[in-house]
Amino acid sequence: MNLPPVASWKCGATEPGLQFYAGNFLDGTITGKGGKVYQRRPGFCMEPQHYPDSPNKPMFPTTELKPGETYQNTIIYRFHVK
């Protein structure tokens, strides 16, 4: 994503954690849709979610979904350009 230098981004979510991925392990050997080559660090991804090891950490918020329960998550991304 090419944001102007005066842009800001905020994320609000009902999930307690945030997974960040920057493509550090991409090396230009993978080709995607339309022949686009995935270079190292071409962008980033921020995904609100539960902590990765929640089922094994009793002090983390639970990820258990019992029969009959509904999972719901709200994510709000706000972009602002001054």
Side-chain angles (χ1 to χ4, degrees):
M1 179 178 352
N2 295 321
L3 296 177
V6 294
S8 64
W9 174 84
K10 289 185 180 184
C11 175
T14 55
E15 296 293 328
L18 184 72
Q19 185 78 358
F20 177 81
Y21 179 74
N24 290 343
F25 299 102
L26 296 173
D27 62 3
T29 60
I30 299 174
T31 303
K33 290 183 179 181
K36 175 78 173 163
V37 176
Y38 297 140
Q39 300 294 334
R40 186 170 191 255
R41 295 184 181 162
F44 64 91
C45 179
M46 295 180 136
E47 301 172 357
Q49 56 186 245
H50 273 271
Y51 304 124
D53 202 22
S54 287
N56 300 308
K57 305 287 185 190
M59 69 290 259
F60 285 4
T62 184
T63 57
E64 181 180 22
L65 188 64
K66 297 178 181 167
E69 292 182 340
T70 301
Y71 171 77
Q72 185 172 343
N73 178 23
T74 301
I75 301 170
I76 299 172
Y77 295 104
R78 294 176 195 247
F79 296 88
H80 179 75
V81 178
K82 294 180 182 180

